[in-house]
Amino acid sequence: MIKALAKVAVSAAALLAACVAVAQQFPERPIQLMVAFPAGGSTDVGARVVASIAEKILGKPMVVINRGGAGGQVGWTEMARQKPDGYYLGYINLPATNTVILDPERKANFGADAFVPIINQVLDPGIVWVRADSPYKTLKDLVDAAKKSPNTIRTATTGILSDDHLAILMLEEAAPGAIFRIVHLAGGADQLKEILGGNVDVAFDNVGSIAPRVRSGELRALAVMDHQRSKFLPDVPTMKEVGYPSVISSSTRGIAAPRGVPPAVLKTLEAALRKAMEDPEHIQKLESAGLAIKIMVGEEYAKYYRETHEQAKKYTEWAKSRAHK
Amino acid sequence: MDTLQHLVSGFAAALSPAYLTYALAGCALGTLIGVLPGLGPAAGTAILIPLTFKLDPTGAIIMLSAIYYGAMYGGTITSVLINVPGEAASVVTCIDGHQMAKQGRGGTALGIAAIGSFVGGIVATVALVVVAPPLAKLALRFGPPEFFALMLFGLCLVSGLAGRSMLAALLMTVLGLLLAMIGIDPVRGAPRFAFDVPDLYDGIGFIPVVMGLFGISEILLAAEAPALAAVRTRLSRLLPSREEWRRSIGAIWRGTGIGFFLGLIPGIGSIVPTFMAYVAEKRLSKTPERFGRGAIEGVAAPESANNAYANAAMIPFLTLGIPSSPTIAVLMGAFIINGITPGPFLFQERPDLVWAVIASFFVGNVILLALNLPLVGLWAKLLEVRFEYLAVGVLLFCLVGAYSLQQSIFDVWVMIAFGVVGYVFRKLELPLAPLVLGLILGSPIEKSLRTSLEMSGGDYSIFLTRPLCVGLLIASSVVLIGSALKLAPKTLREA
């Protein structure tokens, strides 16, 4: 009996030791960090900065690999298939990841539970902007005009089901009667071209890509879709200040793992990545690129992921039903 | 006056030993990137950005710009020598450039390409100095409806790409347009003809397709008759003959003009100008039957257009901050990392930087010419390598190139499949250029049509109420009706 107990105790201890050893040994080889967008984009820039710091902390190289395509779907499809051993991590871009999963036409072969969020890096709030000589001086002017003559104000997104597209729907919901004529453009550069050329009237985008031009006076921002003002644009009011507290939208970038990574490994990764993101070098480099750092870890990030998914679900369905009309 | 002063001090900076070295290094690296198929200027510039972190902003931007236009030139080399476009904008050069190489005139083709690129680059840069800001503002009036009309005009030019049979050319164009339909639809976001394969969601990659159609098929064809593949290039014939000069001069100027004006319009991409320049030459030529059989104008015009485009595309970027091509978007990233925001205020805030960079464009174009003319002989020697060795090398080169596009084995399969398709088409004497044109124009036509209709709330009159758009639509009809009238019913049947 005692012998048997001792055996159990010994094996339990051995198991525990093995677990600890695994956690301590991790990582034994280079870690891959997948970015579901091409090299040179803002997700990629952030990934390369954090990887270069985290690899010093972890003691093994962290290699950024770009798997661009289909608005991120190619990369996320690959990530969902990876062995959950902690050696393959990837960026998830909320709400883009969510809308790819939620849009039935995309036929994504992974669900929201395919990824375990580890740490969020950047939260870039949505912003409404117009040309400096636009008749819309405030968000109220814009909403009033959209109510007065619905479906005439040409309003640019950065792509179908992008966070900017969902934000337009949120504003329409918050301001009943206001309807925008949605024009899907390919990205921020196209928005700028068409706004300056007078081919669209107003654009929904994110603070990071537009802040320098607002500061220089070339463009006018009407409202930021965050709980507080952006430190890059302290003069621009929030949606809450102008009367639409429910319009909260952003584009976030964070690191996740395929489901099933051992908790000890996740802890190691979370600690190392957090330390890397709190490093002054990381903060300085991202802020100079106009990217607002917002570190969220563990349950906070997981909760944010779930909430974003629920919210995206509602507006994706709306967007789809509107497109069918 | 003020401009001149700025330019002079810009030159003083650009000619300083350090900046001269950066420009030289950039040109050499760029040429290398251009030579490697698959690795295009956009990816090449992105990869090399970290290289410039240690430099000051002006130096970094001088070097990255040099990489950019160096790559635009380098792509020509492989197009001419082995029929593999080193980067997308050199596709058209394959048509006549490789024929010239087969006739032992490869050196001449590369020589005229270098000279044409030089003229195109310098003229566009002069224009950048003289007329940049007002022109860039004007080009902004080119909204989605005008863009649609221009792309339609490009499609109408396809008749100029036909070989013997117009019917065959039309057939290939439609095939190209159909291939362009594959992938996520640009407005609704629904996948089409993708068969649930995420790799197909972005459509079929243009570069693997042309590498297969032109390069792989070339090897397959040559493998049937290896004896014919051996080419002797007479080194004495590196510079064009008097007759070739006569033919090229007009082509270079026209190509430069076309490349420059299209470069002002953001979003055109580098391929369409080369096609337009080629077709314009063929249409204007008194002997259009020489095209496709080694006409020197068929190299001179698109190569000049290509470099004029590359430099002109810097105008909307520097004056308005609008990146008009993927490569320039990467370049813009480099500006921002270095704390500089391109746009209307850049000329006032950092004249030292802007003018040093502009002056370096002049210097860079001279360096490229000086770098490439002496190398032409060396490159042409490559053609004397025995076919068995050359073929293996080219195949390996293509495989690595296709994979390096986005580290995807899928692209390699696409290239191989289109290699076989290209072989069959060429055996059947079906022209490849219309297919390529259809493939390039398919998505921008669809996207701009639907964006225009989104702008108008579904009202087609948007195409008839904008003067520029109407003008382009009329031009398209003239081209279309013109070529239809020239077409005797007999020619249609000859397919």
Side-chain angles (χ1 to χ4, degrees), chain A residues 37-117:
Chain A
F37 296 92
S42 68
T43 307
D44 180 68
V45 169
R48 285 179 195 274
V49 173
V50 77
S52 69
I53 305 169
E55 64 185 10
K56 285 178 211 143
I57 300 167
L58 286 162
K60 288 284 178 226
M62 188 176 261
V63 189
V64 176
I65 46 170
N66 298 91
R67 289 282 184 270
Q73 191 170 351
V74 169
W76 296 319
T77 303
E78 179 174 306
M79 180 174 162
R81 281 205 304 252
Q82 295 298 314
K83 200 170 146 195
D85 54 7
Y87 290 100
Y88 190 104
L89 308 175
Y91 265 80
I92 51 173
N93 300 57
L94 314 184
T97 311
N98 311 94
T99 53
V100 162
I101 296 169
L102 288 163
D103 180 357
E105 286 188 281
R106 287 300 196 94
K107 295 182 181 146
N109 56 7
F110 53 90
D113 58 352
F115 309 121
V116 180

Side-chain angles (χ1 to χ4, degrees), chain B residues 196-270:
Chain B
D196 296 349
V197 180
D199 286 304
L200 278 175
Y201 279 12
D202 274 341
I204 296 192
F206 176 72
I207 296 171
V209 168
V210 294
M211 282 168 70
L213 282 180
F214 289 90
I216 303 286
S217 73
E218 184 72 28
I219 296 169
L220 294 177
L221 281 176
E224 290 183 344
L228 294 176
V231 181
R232 289 253 161 261
T233 305
R234 286 184 304 277
L235 282 172
S236 58
R237 288 285 319 277
L238 288 185
L239 283 177
S241 68
R242 181 168 297 188
E243 168 65 11
E244 285 169 326
W245 265 120
R246 196 184 56 74
R247 290 187 186 283
S248 303
I249 287 175
I252 288 176
W253 285 110
R254 283 185 290 272
T256 301
I258 291 173
F260 176 75
F261 282 106
L262 294 180
L264 294 174
I265 303 166
I268 295 279
S270 55

Side-chain angles (χ1 to χ4, degrees), chain A residues 67 69-70 73-74 105-107 154 160 181-185 189 193-194 196-197 199 213 216 218 320 323-324, chain B residues 140 142-144 184 187-188 190-191 196 198 201-202 266 320-322 342 344-345 407 447 451 454-457 466:
Chain A
R67 289 282 184 270
Q73 191 170 351
V74 169
E105 286 188 281
R106 287 300 196 94
K107 295 182 181 146
R154 297 164 298 179
I160 187 155
R181 179 182 285 176
I182 298 177
V183 180
H184 295 299
L185 297 177
K193 169 177 171 273
E194 303 306 353
L196 292 182
N199 295 309
R213 286 167 195 277
S216 71
E218 200 186 333
K320 282 278 158 185
H324 278 293
Chain B
L140 274 183
F142 233 83
I184 293 180
V187 177
R188 281 286 314 284
D196 296 349
Y201 279 12
D202 274 341
L320 300 169
I322 295 174
F345 301 98
Q407 294 86 47
K447 174 83 183 134
T451 308
E454 281 178 341
M455 277 170 57
S456 71
R466 300 167 64 116

